Amino acid sequence: MSADRRQELESLFHKHGYADFKWIDPQDIVVSQWVRMKCTFGCGEYGSNATCPPNVPSVEECRQFFGEYYTAAVFHFQKTVDKPESRHAWTREVNLKLLELEREVFLSGYHKAFLLFMDSCCICKKCAGERGECKRPKEARPAPEAMAVDVYATVRKYGFPIEVLTDYSEAMNRYAFLMVD
Ligand code: SF4
């Protein structure tokens, strides 16, 4: 992508209130089988969120998807919550706002624009649980983890902070990916 086009998009990101983002090479996105294993075993959302496994492409298909892009941006969000449940309202708000950006990037001529949410969908209070039953299918997007992205390894390549947290009093570092081209 030319420097001019990048600058145009950066102005758009700023217009939407985003300052904490970096351009990344999609080929640096680490896709790993272990991520899918963690979604399948050990995550309470398995089978109950229409944008999470098993309602997503296979790990190999995810790898192929990322291989089809030349340009992407990662957006960093930091937050501390009083109780774990408060995370969902914040996620919903962030994801809905990001969708507005995805749409504007698309309308700017980037027909491949595709957003990976900051966390699992959370648009509805209770998720339909199955892709075909999704209540807002035009808006629902998978999170990077649902697409088998090793978010830790990927964002660390670009100097972003991310650690395993042991207590909710610690600040969460979350990431959304916008596939652009
Ligand atoms: S839009 Fe609603 S039903 Fe669809 S994945 Fe998101 S939370 Fe689930």
Side-chain angles (χ1 to χ4, degrees):
M1 182 188 294
S2 71
D4 282 358
R5 295 221 80 184
R6 224 171 240 230
Q7 213 166 9
E8 272 168 32
L9 284 174
E10 284 177 14
S11 304
L12 199 58
F13 297 170
H14 288 133
K15 188 185 102 181
H16 281 255
Y18 301 110
D20 195 358
F21 64 84
K22 286 185 185 177
W23 291 106
I24 63 161
D25 177 350
Q27 303 326 303
D28 283 337
I29 295 174
V30 182
V31 177
S32 300
Q33 191 69 49
W34 72 261
V35 181
R36 182 57 52 85
M37 199 61 95
K38 286 259 199 183
C39 287
T40 309
F41 300 98
C43 178
E45 289 196 85
Y46 182 81
S48 64
N49 189 301
T51 58
C52 288
N55 298 295
V56 289
S58 70
V59 174
E60 202 37 55
E61 287 167 333
C62 293
R63 196 170 281 124
Q64 203 181 332
F65 166 78
F66 292 115
E68 292 175 357
Y69 283 86
Y70 298 99
T71 312
V74 171
F75 295 80
H76 175 217
F77 301 89
Q78 197 174 61
K79 180 90 172 167
T80 307
V81 290
D82 301 337
K83 31 189 198 296
E85 312 83 77
S86 318
R87 208 182 79 214
H88 299 301
W90 175 58
T91 299
R92 180 179 194 278
E93 189 187 316
V94 170
N95 285 345
L96 285 172
K97 202 164 163 292
L98 280 165
L99 276 175
E100 290 171 18
L101 177 66
E102 185 212 61
R103 178 160 172 73
E104 212 168 329
V105 170
F106 171 74
L107 293 175
S108 305
Y110 296 89
H111 61 280
K112 287 168 73 180
F114 190 83
L115 174 68
L116 301 179
F117 275 165
M118 180 193 72
D119 197 349
S120 51
C121 183
C122 291
I123 291 179
C124 310
K125 272 221 158 71
K126 180 151 177 46
C127 183
E130 280 188 39
R131 195 68 217 114
E133 305 295 319
C134 178
K135 298 170 206 168
R136 293 172 67 167
K138 284 191 175 174
E139 292 158 297
R141 302 283 184 278
E145 296 88 341
M147 291 291 285
V149 174
D150 179 343
V151 176
Y152 286 82
T154 304
V155 302
R156 277 176 181 158
K157 285 186 185 181
Y158 287 85
F160 279 120
I162 188 163
E163 295 298 334
V164 172
L165 305 183
T166 55
D167 193 281
Y168 270 94
S169 60
E170 297 174 274
M172 297 181 286
N173 289 294
R174 297 275 172 168
Y175 298 91
F177 289 59
L178 182 63
M179 310 308 295
V180 182
D181 265 24

